[in-house]
Amino acid sequence: FTFLADIQKAMKKMFRLLVASLAGTAVYVLVSFTCGVDGIWADSQLREQKRLLSARADEIQKINDSLTLEYTALEKDPDVIAGFARKMGYVRDGEKVVKINGLINIDEYHFETGIPIKSIEPYSLPEWFCKFAGLLMFFVSYLYLMLKDFRVSERTVKKNKVKIRGIPVYDLPQV
């Protein structure tokens, strides 16, 4: 009977270790999956950065297309060349220049591409924190299961305990 009792104790210890390991692993995976370096939170931040960069790239592409069209027109269209030359202050032979003071010269050809957007490292919990949370859960659950087994065994001992002159005697069934 002591052999079976030893096996039962070993099984309880293995069960406690298994359940505590499962709980610790589950917490580690949950924390790492949601808030870790490659987790959902970091992924959503990277997706937002990608959206902003893509929108900015589209704006810059529109400006580039406009400048390419203007460059082509300045190379080949004589009317566009003449208009641009007039804006720069050139005149044709026989034309008279009239200057009006007080008018603000508006530069139509100034393209604002904005502030450069740089990639930012996403916020996330470090890997050591995820592992620490898993280990902490392992130890807490293992301690809880040990105390639970201790309380259960203490109750059964109290039920089966008979005191004779201060010495506990256990009433075990005889075979």
Side-chain angles (χ1 to χ4, degrees), residues 3 11-12 16 18 23 34 36 67 72 74-75 98 101 113 118 122 141 148 151 156 159 167:
F3 177 70
M11 293 293 282
K12 278 188 179 181
R16 281 194 305 249
L18 183 64
T34 55
L67 288 173
T72 305
L74 280 172
E75 270 188 336
V98 178
N101 290 331
T113 57
K118 294 183 180 179
S141 59
K148 185 178 174 186
R151 293 180 86 199
T156 56
K159 286 180 184 177
I167 300 173

Side-chain angles (χ1 to χ4, degrees), residues 17 52 61 133 143 160 171:
L17 278 172
L52 289 173
Q61 185 61 45
L143 183 63
N160 296 333
D171 186 22

